[in-house]
Amino acid sequence: MSPPKVLFPFILAGLLFLGGCWDVEEVEKKSLITAIGIDAVLNNQLLLTLQLPNPGAIIHSGSQASQKKLFYTISTTASTTLGACTDLEAKTSDTLDTAQTKVIIFGRKLAETGLAPHLDCFGRFPKINPQAILAMAEPDAGSLLKMEVAQEMLPGLYIMDYFTKDSKKGASHPITLWQFLQKMDSPTIDPFLPIIRYDRDERTFNISGIAAFRHDRLAFTLSPEETKLFGLLNSGLENAAFIFPWDENRKIGFHFTRSKVKSSWEPPNTIRLKVKVEGYFLEDTGNIKPLTDKALSRYEKMVAKNLAQQSQTLLQKLQQAKTDLLGMGKVVRAKTPGKWSAAWWRKKYPQIRIKVQFEFEMSRSGRMT
Amino acid sequence: MPFKKDFEERSLPALQSLWDLVEKDIILNQIELKLLYIKGLVKGADLTEFVLSPLERYFQTHTGLPQNSDWLKLIPSASETKVFTAPEEATSAILAGWSILMAESFDFALGFFIPDWSVRQLTEPDSERMVRGPREGFTEDLQGNIVLVRRWIKDPQLRVTGMTIGLRTKTPVVTMYLEDLASRQLVTEVRRRLEAIEIDGVLESGYLEELITDRRLTIFPLIQSTERPDKVSAALLEGRVAILVDKSPFALIAPVTVNELYQTPEDYYLGYWLGTLLRGIRLLGNNLAVTLPGLYVALIGVNQELLPTRLLLTVAGLRAGIPFPIVIEVLLTSFAVEIFNETGLRLPGPLGGSIGVVVGVVLGFTAVQAGFISSPTLVIAVSSTIALYSGPNFSVSIAWRILKYFLIIGAALFGIYGLVIFGVLILAHAATLQSFGTSYLAPWAPLQLDALSDGPVRKPLWLRKKRPVTYRPEDLSRQGTTKQEGRNKKNE
Amino acid sequence: MNEEHPQVSPSLYFFLIFTPLMSFTLLCYPITFAQSIGTDSYLGIPAALLFALPAILLGRYFERRFSGKTVIEYAPLILGKFFGLIYNLVYLIFLFIILFVLFRELTGLVNHFLLLHTPLWAVTILIAGSVAYLSFYGLSSTARLATFLLPAGIFIFFMIGLGFQNWSIQNAVPLLKQPVSTYLFGGFKSLYIFFPLILIYQAPAFSAEKRKNTPLTLAALVLTGAIYFFNLLGIMGVFGPENCIRYNWPTLEYVRTINFPYLLLDQIGLTLIIAWLVLAYATGAILTFFLSSGISQLWQKLSFKKVILLLVPVYFFSLISFPSYDLLRDLFGYFQYAGLTVLLGLPALLWLVSLITGRRGGSI
């Protein structure tokens, strides 16, 4: 018998002995965690809440069996994330599996004390999807995950769907785990999280506004209006509506479709942002006259001026909060390679002058003249 | 020693024990003649008309025996005649369907070949149907099969060399190749391997396939078998060798590559866009058939992170309450489908169809309803079995059918990792294979770009100027100066 | 030619060099570059290529002078029997360590991402056994498989390209603002990415068309360099150096950032592991073949097949007895420099000695 024929049975025999199937566990015997919520509670403890789906009910939802609940939650307190996870294993007969975790939500209090220690576990554990979406809950994540939504779907999937819709990105500003870690690690930019609340009356989530971080700590929260503006400045905006007051009775609304930002460093102390916005005219509460080209260009100028003013205010607020949400550090680092260091930038950022110029181009004006 | 006496002493006793032997002693003009043949193998009426009547006419006008060489001229109407000098040869010839005529004083015997056995009509081969293309397939008649190929290639370079294999069956085997195309080495190698066979009987070309294959332990077919004469002709034009065996409608073609096993002549009869699409579908179907069950086991049983949440939740919901682990479930379902598949083949025609419906619809539906198996598993098992038949070559389909289970086991033990390593192991095995000195994975490995361009994609005929280098033909050029489209439109 | 010394065609030879080069450290090399250079660390790749060139030249010199001979055969001719043996032992141990690192990397990856609870020995036995199976059939089969797996390489390249969807130029600048020595030193330090190039002291003897060897090796090296450059450029643009060093396998993490919501597979990035596994398998088989063929040339009594049978238990037990992946990372730091000696230093010495001793013993 020539050697290869000897070898092959060996491998096969070895495999039969292996038969352990250590990792084999069918999907129905696992509890797939769809969402994780982490809150800070007293005495430096964490409250970890897991949202677990009930697949049998999801399959038959709509039919007679829909009385069954779509999901259930389990929670526990511990000093670290991993500690809490191990404690939770005791609360369910199934194996907990993070492979499908798509949403990780932090409570506001935790965000204020810093996220880095709790993110380490998520960044390290290979089974966590780096594309999981992060958000900050107000007031706390645990109670939010227990809520049902009127749409009769898994809340975890609801949140995931909301953030992955392209048409909503102008307002939702999704951020994934790897993006947050990247922004947190990088000295040139600070991370943010979208804010999520639960509306008890309508039984739905309200996702608006973002929380700006300084490194890993919550530094400042942006209102929904400011969030849209941030979208314009961050050039990631797709679809957002802005209303501008013309005078007391008349308001004009625009739908912005695209924004392009060019930022440049002007030594010694100035950053100039040139923002080019495209959009269309969608609402005018007072206009009855036919639109002329002249009027339109007046609108354009008004919008540009108004946006520039608002942005200036927002950027000042961010500077005061010492959070470099727009990644100005990158711009400066590219131009001042010798001088630049993380510490230098931390000190420098609140002092620099940021000048914003807006240019608005109206592409359409709707069905009416 | 006169032939007749010798024959009667040495060979006749054994022959006389045959129930269907016809032994006629004829006396014409005082000359004793003996005619021997096997009933049923020889057309009696033709024998009388073309052999005995001319003889009778001869003896009516002549006396004495004709000269040696005149014997055969006497009987011009018999199509095939031969002179036998050894009694053993004559015996074999009688058994092969010859009629033997011998005279007292002669040291030879005359043989006439007037066969009378039924030959199946030319029909479209069941295993290789196609929409466009000739409707002829090989039959069990070797002579007819050679004719079928000859009708395609009328080149004097076409060589047809014969030999007999099988000590007892004495099966005629013919190798066909184009003298100025096929590589010399290949032709000699084929002949060497065929000549080395010593076996009592060859019943089908499958015997030879197994005996002359390069690697006996492999599961893959290293020789192509086909029922289509056009496929054989195309192979000959690429410089390959065909082996035809009597009583077998399957011709063998050597060498072969994996790539070749996924092509049909139809790809070249239809347009190249369609040909490319069909090849793509075949490859996809085959790959799906092999990997789908394994992938399903790996994704549902081990590596759930690869599936989207919604799909996974659906499967989890459907699988809730199933008593079997996923591997057992997939194996059970697949075995069941295999059994129905085999049964469907063996059942008498009209019954087959209705049983198929009953089994497929009723049993499958009931099993899912009863909660023995889950519906996704059924979908996977059935679609895998169906997809397997998208490939045109039956033997390679069977190989993959077995390897499918190999992959399921790999996936069941180690999930995606097991699936990949077991899959690569199959590829590694395929990489070690050679078919008559040609790499089995050619033209992918070694990389032969020109040949590869007519692999997964069907190259337009006007670009196919060269024969594939894979088979090392003696002459690479395939087209001379076929005019390009548009070049000769100047007159318009 | 007998099966111990098969001859492979030029296209197979190319993949014999290219596949090991491409897969050896593909997943983790960005860390050292990011650490030693920073935002424009991709510029370290050309520097590393520059340092790898002498190895090719040395290989070419030996190949010309001792046509059809491997380092195992010509080292004793130059250095004499004793020192030649020492030289070859160092060479083979180096080859073994490369193989060891590759396998440990592979099993570590599998244990991290695909099979979390499966014990290491089970993962190891599967890969070690199946690699041995392939290399058993000799070089042509191994090279054929490596060629057949070209689509896996193309897939990896494609994935690297897709990763650019999150790319931002500002993460990857400033460009060339550091002293040139930083790039050169960074490239030199990270020359380990081209360690499989050591095969050029052994593989050319197995090539059927000797004239094409050097261009093919160069092409394989440059292609690998281009892929590594492209990949590092992507990683820097997406992660930046600070975030890149957070991960053990930055290339994998980089590919996992790809987001295609409409594909059936959810975490499409994980398919990179599969593609890499497949390439690493071929690399393992190639290196196993050269290692065992080298050993069998050293001890004429053993055929390379027997050596493989002996080698499998050796690397199986050394792999499972090696305690942790992180220790490997630490030790690899030292191996990085030791390897440079074997790849460049010792052959240079050999070259000098052969120049001094002249034609004696050469070109037999």
Side-chain angles (χ1 to χ4, degrees):
Chain A
M1 216 171 162
S2 71
K5 290 167 202 161
V6 182
L7 197 73
F8 207 61
F10 262 105
I11 300 173
L12 285 179
L15 288 176
L16 287 181
F17 274 109
L18 292 182
C21 319
W22 299 268
D23 275 288
V24 179
E25 188 152 36
E26 280 83 5
V27 59
E28 73 273 10
K29 290 177 191 131
K30 281 185 178 173
S31 274
L32 303 166
I33 304 167
T34 45
I36 300 178
I38 309 176
D39 289 300
V41 286
L42 293 174
N43 307 328
N44 272 340
Q45 292 281 68
L46 291 176
L47 174 71
L48 188 81
T49 313
L50 304 182
Q51 188 181 78
L52 306 169
N54 192 353
I58 292 169
I59 279 293
H60 302 291
S61 69
S63 70
Q64 70 278 13
S66 63
Q67 282 92 347
K68 277 206 241 169
K69 278 197 110 184
L70 291 175
F71 66 96
Y72 61 102
T73 53
I74 50 178
S75 54
T76 188
T77 51
S79 55
T80 66
T81 320
L82 183 68
C85 278
T86 9
D87 289 353
L88 282 176
E89 290 277 358
K91 288 200 175 182
T92 172
S93 70
D94 295 338
T95 319
L96 292 174
D97 188 10
T98 50
Q100 291 291 342
T101 306
K102 292 291 166 64
V103 179
I104 302 171
I105 298 176
F106 300 97
R108 190 187 170 111
K109 249 193 198 160
L110 193 75
E112 280 164 359
T113 57
L115 293 180
H118 316 296
L119 279 170
D120 188 76
C121 175
F122 293 118
R124 199 174 288 279
F125 191 53
K127 278 249 166 167
I128 293 264
N129 190 344
Q131 307 269 3
I133 279 161
L134 304 192
M136 191 184 88
E138 269 190 345
D140 70 301
S143 58
L144 188 112
L145 285 184
K146 292 195 175 95
M147 300 302 173
E148 285 173 36
V149 283
Q151 256 169 313
E152 293 285 329
M153 65 191 287
L154 214 59
L157 288 184
Y158 174 101
I159 297 171
M160 186 186 88
D161 279 1
Y162 181 88
F163 281 111
T164 45
K165 286 243 166 66
D166 274 345
S167 56
K168 298 204 184 207
K169 275 188 183 152
S172 63
H173 295 290
I175 185 163
T176 58
L177 179 60
W178 74 265
Q179 280 170 330
F180 192 89
L181 288 175
Q182 193 269 329
K183 287 190 164 132
M184 200 175 83
D185 284 346
S186 171
T188 55
I189 192 165
D190 280 314
F192 63 85
L193 286 182
I195 302 173
I196 177 168
R197 298 179 192 83
Y198 185 73
D199 189 329
R200 272 171 203 283
D201 300 330
E202 321 238 298
R203 289 176 60 227
T204 173
F205 294 115
N206 177 4
I207 302 170
S208 57
I210 59 174
F213 283 69
R214 183 167 54 240
H215 186 57
D216 68 329
R217 265 159 223 258
L218 178 66
F220 181 68
T221 51
L222 279 74
S223 70
E225 279 304 309
E226 285 169 335
T227 306
K228 281 193 274 182
L229 203 59
F230 165 72
L232 286 183
L233 293 170
N234 204 19
S235 60
L237 179 124
E238 287 166 52
N239 303 324
F242 278 72
I243 314 293
F244 300 96
W246 187 257
D247 53 42
E248 270 176 35
N249 300 324
R250 186 171 162 207
K251 292 198 170 72
I252 315 178
F254 294 91
H255 190 93
F256 293 147
T257 49
R258 260 181 74 187
S259 78
K260 242 185 174 174
V261 187
K262 264 191 195 164
S263 33
S264 52
W265 168 244
E266 291 173 3
N269 210 13
T270 316
I271 285 180
R272 187 178 297 276
L273 290 180
K274 281 185 186 166
V275 191
K276 207 175 163 189
V277 188
E278 274 174 41
Y280 51 93
F281 183 41
L282 214 59
E283 190 181 35
D284 185 350
T285 55
N287 181 38
I288 31 170
K289 279 169 277 176
L291 273 175
T292 57
D293 193 46
K294 213 172 165 188
L296 284 178
S297 64
R298 254 174 44 215
Y299 290 164
E300 282 179 352
K301 272 184 197 135
M302 182 274 291
V303 167
K305 201 177 146 199
N306 206 314
L307 284 176
Q309 272 173 2
Q310 286 186 30
S311 315
Q312 209 81 48
T313 330
L314 173 64
L315 287 169
Q316 267 165 18
K317 280 187 196 164
L318 289 176
Q319 272 182 304
Q320 275 161 17
K322 294 181 185 167
T323 154
D324 184 8
L325 215 53
L326 289 168
M328 304 284 188
K330 288 183 195 174
V331 185
V332 181
R333 181 172 69 174
K335 297 285 173 200
T336 57
K339 226 193 286 177
W340 205 92
S341 76
W344 176 81
W345 177 243
R346 283 260 167 250
K347 240 196 297 178
K348 180 95 178 165
Y349 174 66
Q351 294 154 16
I352 53 170
R353 279 183 60 198
I354 304 177
K355 284 186 182 166
V356 192
Q357 285 176 346
F358 264 89
E359 197 182 317
F360 176 50
E361 205 182 293
M362 206 186 314
S363 54
R364 278 172 281 170
S365 58
R367 279 197 297 158
M368 294 196 291
T369 53
Chain B
M1 200 174 181
F3 182 88
K4 191 168 172 237
K5 202 175 166 204
D6 191 15
F7 184 82
E8 277 168 354
E9 271 173 25
R10 278 165 57 190
S11 303
L12 199 58
L15 279 175
Q16 271 169 337
S17 65
L18 297 178
W19 170 79
D20 52 355
L21 182 80
V22 178
E23 189 181 353
K24 271 187 187 166
D25 288 313
I26 312 162
I27 301 177
L28 284 173
N29 215 356
Q30 289 146 13
I31 296 167
E32 271 182 45
L33 297 169
K34 190 188 264 293
L35 184 68
L36 285 167
Y37 62 89
I38 303 263
K39 211 191 308 176
L41 285 180
V42 176
K43 212 174 212 171
D46 283 6
L47 191 67
T48 321
E49 186 182 341
F50 298 129
V51 179
L52 296 180
S53 316
L55 274 179
E56 242 171 301
R57 259 178 269 131
Y58 175 83
F59 284 111
Q60 277 166 11
T61 51
H62 296 71
T63 50
L65 282 164
Q67 292 303 306
N68 282 5
S69 53
D70 293 344
W71 265 108
L72 298 178
K73 289 183 196 154
L74 270 179
I75 319 159
S77 339
S79 58
E80 206 174 329
T81 51
K82 199 175 170 183
V83 175
F84 294 94
T85 48
E88 289 77 18
E89 252 181 74
T91 313
S92 315
I94 289 173
L95 292 174
W98 289 70
S99 356
I100 302 289
L101 184 72
M102 49 189 94
E104 192 74 51
S105 57
F106 270 33
D107 50 358
F108 61 89
L110 287 174
F112 313 95
F113 192 54
I114 308 169
D116 181 33
W117 52 70
S118 47
V119 173
R120 188 164 56 91
Q121 278 205 321
L122 293 187
T123 49
E124 190 176 13
D126 266 344
S127 62
E128 290 162 278
R129 282 174 186 281
M130 51 181 70
V131 178
R132 177 160 177 184
R135 296 279 182 266
E136 298 174 341
F138 285 132
T139 62
E140 287 75 7
D141 178 33
L142 177 65
Q143 194 55 52
N145 291 350
I146 297 172
V147 169
L148 282 179
V149 179
R150 274 201 185 282
R151 291 280 309 282
W152 250 280
I153 302 174
K154 296 161 195 98
D155 188 343
Q157 297 287 343
L158 178 65
R159 294 282 178 274
V160 182
T161 56
M163 64 177 77
T164 327
I165 298 179
L167 295 175
R168 291 181 192 281
T169 57
K170 303 226 165 38
T171 312
V173 172
V174 158
T175 44
M176 295 178 100
Y177 56 93
L178 285 163
E179 175 78 22
D180 57 344
L181 270 190
S183 132
R184 301 273 141 71
Q185 272 177 308
L186 173 65
V187 174
T188 22
E189 180 62 22
V190 169
R191 202 170 298 152
R192 191 187 65 76
R193 289 191 195 178
L194 284 175
E195 276 162 4
I197 296 176
E198 260 189 55
I199 190 173
D200 61 339
V202 174
L203 298 185
E204 219 270 346
S205 55
Y207 276 52
L208 296 187
E209 187 180 341
E210 200 170 319
L211 289 170
I212 63 172
T213 186
D214 287 67
R215 180 86 68 76
R216 295 187 174 173
L217 279 180
T218 187
I219 196 170
F220 290 105
L222 292 180
I223 295 169
Q224 191 176 2
S225 58
T226 179
E227 279 190 84
R228 300 195 67 94
D230 51 341
K231 217 167 181 170
V232 169
S233 310
L236 292 180
L237 287 176
E238 284 181 342
R240 297 155 79 194
V241 176
I243 304 166
L244 272 62
V245 180
D246 195 26
K247 299 303 288 172
S248 164
F250 286 91
L252 303 179
I253 303 171
V256 71
T257 61
V258 178
N259 192 27
E260 201 69 43
L261 295 173
Y262 289 94
Q263 302 182 357
T264 68
E266 199 178 22
D267 301 347
Y268 295 98
Y269 304 154
L270 299 164
Y272 50 90
W273 293 112
L274 197 52
T276 305
L277 176 75
L278 290 178
R279 283 189 185 174
I281 289 173
R282 252 175 255 142
L283 274 178
L284 184 75
N286 189 75
N287 287 344
L288 271 186
V290 183
T291 52
L292 203 59
L295 200 62
Y296 175 68
V297 170
L299 290 181
I300 303 298
V302 185
N303 296 104
Q304 287 102 352
E305 61 271 20
L306 285 164
L307 282 180
T309 316
R310 276 166 215 273
L311 182 59
L312 199 60
L313 286 175
T314 309
V315 176
L318 288 171
R319 275 192 54 83
I322 302 291
F324 305 112
I326 180 110
V327 201
I328 306 294
E329 194 194 352
V330 168
L331 286 179
L332 276 182
T333 321
S334 298
F335 282 145
V337 176
E338 297 276 353
I339 291 170
F340 301 147
N341 186 5
E342 192 64 17
T343 322
L345 258 160
R346 310 280 167 241
L347 277 174
L351 207 59
S354 49
I355 291 281
V357 172
V358 170
V359 163
V361 178
V362 180
L363 206 61
F365 189 70
T366 322
V368 171
Q369 281 277 303
F372 293 144
I373 52 170
S374 62
S375 35
T377 310
L378 193 68
V379 171
I380 297 287
V382 172
S383 46
S384 155
T385 310
I386 294 296
L388 206 55
Y389 294 102
S390 58
N393 188 293
F394 190 65
S395 8
V396 80
S397 294
I398 292 180
W400 288 120
R401 198 160 131 190
I402 299 168
L403 292 174
K404 180 172 91 177
Y405 293 100
F406 184 63
L407 289 183
I408 293 179
I409 291 169
L413 290 173
F414 294 102
I416 288 286
Y417 174 62
L419 187 74
V420 170
I421 294 297
F422 276 50
V424 173
L425 212 52
I426 294 174
L427 290 182
H429 173 67
T432 66
L433 295 177
Q434 287 199 325
S435 167
F436 290 86
T438 300
S439 160
Y440 197 48
L441 294 181
W444 294 92
L447 211 55
Q448 294 159 339
L449 288 176
D450 193 54
L452 188 62
S453 62
D454 196 21
V457 178
R458 201 281 247 176
K459 209 174 182 179
L461 288 175
W462 32 269
L463 282 178
R464 235 166 127 242
K465 301 229 158 152
K466 283 186 179 165
R467 298 195 165 81
V469 286
T470 318
Y471 307 115
R472 292 190 269 275
E474 302 282 325
D475 177 15
L476 267 178
S477 162
R478 187 169 226 154
Q479 279 178 22
T481 50
T482 307
K483 284 241 163 63
Q484 293 286 305
E485 178 200 15
R487 290 266 168 87
N488 42 9
K489 276 187 183 168
K490 274 176 192 166
N491 303 339
E492 287 171 23
Chain C
M1 276 288 165
N2 59 15
E3 57 176 11
E4 303 268 318
H5 253 285
Q7 302 274 291
V8 295
S9 66
S11 76
L12 292 184
Y13 176 80
F14 174 78
F15 285 98
L16 275 184
I17 303 290
F18 175 68
T19 308
L21 272 177
M22 169 151 173
S23 58
F24 179 50
T25 51
L26 177 73
L27 297 186
C28 55
Y29 76 96
I31 305 173
T32 48
F33 278 96
Q35 273 169 345
S36 53
I37 301 178
T39 49
D40 48 355
S41 54
Y42 38 87
L43 294 176
I45 303 272
L49 274 176
L50 212 64
F51 287 111
L53 279 182
I56 290 193
L57 292 177
L58 284 169
R60 181 187 162 91
Y61 170 78
F62 291 126
E63 188 198 326
R64 287 271 163 102
R65 177 130 184 230
F66 305 98
S67 179
K69 284 196 165 60
T70 66
V71 63
I72 312 292
E73 286 161 322
Y74 61 68
L77 291 180
I78 299 172
L79 294 175
K81 253 193 174 168
F82 178 72
F83 287 106
L85 181 69
I86 301 282
Y87 185 94
N88 283 333
L89 281 180
V90 170
Y91 174 84
L92 290 173
I93 288 171
F94 180 65
L95 213 54
F96 180 83
I97 293 176
I98 293 183
L99 194 61
F100 180 85
V101 169
L102 179 85
F103 276 149
R104 195 63 188 79
E105 180 92 8
L106 190 149
T107 49
L109 198 70
V110 169
N111 257 351
H112 266 86
F113 288 94
L114 298 176
L115 302 167
L116 273 69
H117 309 291
T118 307
L120 186 63
W121 63 264
V123 177
T124 310
I125 201 169
L126 191 61
I127 186 79
S130 52
V131 160
Y133 170 78
L134 177 59
S135 47
F136 225 102
Y137 282 95
L139 193 62
S140 322
S141 303
T142 313
R144 254 182 260 145
L145 183 78
T147 312
F148 195 72
L149 296 178
L150 173 67
I154 294 174
F155 178 78
I156 290 180
F157 190 71
F158 187 62
M159 294 295 269
I160 290 171
L162 283 183
F164 274 77
Q165 67 172 200
N166 297 307
W167 196 75
S168 145
I169 178 104
Q170 286 175 330
N171 284 334
V173 287
L175 195 68
L176 267 177
K177 286 283 155 56
Q178 300 174 68
V180 178
S181 60
T182 314
Y183 302 106
L184 287 177
F185 184 64
F188 184 67
K189 235 175 97 179
S190 308
L191 197 55
Y192 68 89
I193 55 174
F194 297 131
F195 272 179
L197 201 59
I198 189 113
L199 292 181
I200 56 162
Y201 301 119
Q202 218 181 347
F206 296 91
S207 165
E209 283 184 51
K210 305 270 190 267
R211 281 180 53 222
K212 288 188 180 167
N213 285 350
T214 312
L216 283 175
T217 315
L218 201 62
L221 183 72
V222 171
L223 187 60
T224 312
I227 291 171
Y228 276 31
F229 177 84
F230 194 48
N231 183 33
L232 199 50
L233 182 65
I235 290 175
M236 285 304 127
V238 172
F239 287 147
E242 299 87 358
N243 189 226
C244 167
I245 55 175
R246 177 185 267 270
Y247 301 111
N248 263 337
W249 295 280
T251 307
L252 178 63
E253 296 297 337
Y254 162 69
V255 169
R256 286 181 88 186
T257 63
I258 300 170
N259 181 19
F260 273 106
Y262 305 108
L263 282 177
L264 183 65
L265 284 182
D266 198 36
Q267 296 196 33
I268 185 156
L270 284 179
T271 51
L272 183 83
I273 299 184
I274 295 168
W276 184 79
L277 261 180
V278 166
L279 285 187
Y281 175 91
T283 305
I286 291 171
L287 293 176
T288 308
F289 173 81
F290 280 115
L291 181 57
S292 53
S293 139
I295 294 176
S296 80
Q297 278 181 335
L298 214 53
W299 282 279
Q300 300 282 344
K301 280 179 192 166
L302 291 170
S303 74
F304 85 91
K305 296 195 169 183
K306 280 185 191 146
V307 177
I308 291 178
L309 280 185
L310 293 175
L311 261 180
V312 174
V314 172
Y315 60 70
F316 173 68
F317 284 108
S318 56
L319 278 167
I320 58 169
S321 53
F322 197 77
S324 80
Y325 184 75
D326 301 286
L327 181 63
L328 178 78
R329 275 283 149 83
D330 289 355
L331 288 181
F332 193 76
Y334 300 106
F335 175 62
Q336 243 164 273
Y337 296 104
L340 285 179
T341 329
V342 185
L343 182 65
L344 290 173
L346 288 180
L349 194 74
L350 203 61
W351 172 64
L352 279 177
V353 173
S354 81
L355 277 190
I356 292 165
T357 55
R359 301 217 120 248
R360 187 168 60 88
S363 58
I364 297 167

